[in-house]
Amino acid sequence: MRIQNAIYQPHIQQDLKSATKFIDQSLQTQGNNLSASLNQHNQIQIRNEDGMVVKTFQGENVIRRMNRVDEYV
């Protein structure tokens, strides 16, 4: 199954939410006034304290990388 076709499946959505939460907590721990959020297009957006988008990650790329983590262990 290709990840592009699976992006709307519930477990993929949960992976995206988990990744967004992890990134957001990591950014807040570092104290650099950035936050992460998931938008309606399954993209993780990094915003500065003024609410401006600094970086956008495609959800399908994040999930692809998350699913490969066990290959390196």
Side-chain angles (χ1 to χ4, degrees), residues 27-28 30-35 47-50:
L27 291 171
Q28 290 181 6
Q30 293 174 4
N32 48 8
N33 298 324
L34 297 173
S35 63
R47 297 179 181 270
N48 65 9
E49 60 188 9
D50 297 328

Side-chain angles (χ1 to χ4, degrees), residues 29-41:
T29 300
Q30 293 174 4
N32 48 8
N33 298 324
L34 297 173
S35 63
S37 62
L38 185 63
N39 70 9
Q40 68 272 15
H41 301 292

Side-chain angles (χ1 to χ4, degrees), residues 15 19 22 61-73:
D15 287 346
F22 176 79
N61 295 337
V62 173
I63 296 302
R64 224 181 273 135
R65 288 182 183 195
M66 282 178 59
N67 291 334
R68 290 186 188 167
V69 168
D70 60 348
E71 293 178 6
Y72 299 109
V73 177

Side-chain angles (χ1 to χ4, degrees), residues 3-34:
I3 194 72
Q4 289 85 1
N5 298 335
I7 199 75
Y8 298 105
Q9 293 183 2
H11 67 282
I12 301 295
Q13 289 295 319
Q14 187 59 40
D15 287 346
L16 279 172
K17 289 177 184 176
S18 297
T20 303
K21 183 177 177 181
F22 176 79
I23 293 169
D24 188 48
Q25 289 174 347
S26 297
L27 291 171
Q28 290 181 6
T29 300
Q30 293 174 4
N32 48 8
N33 298 324
L34 297 173

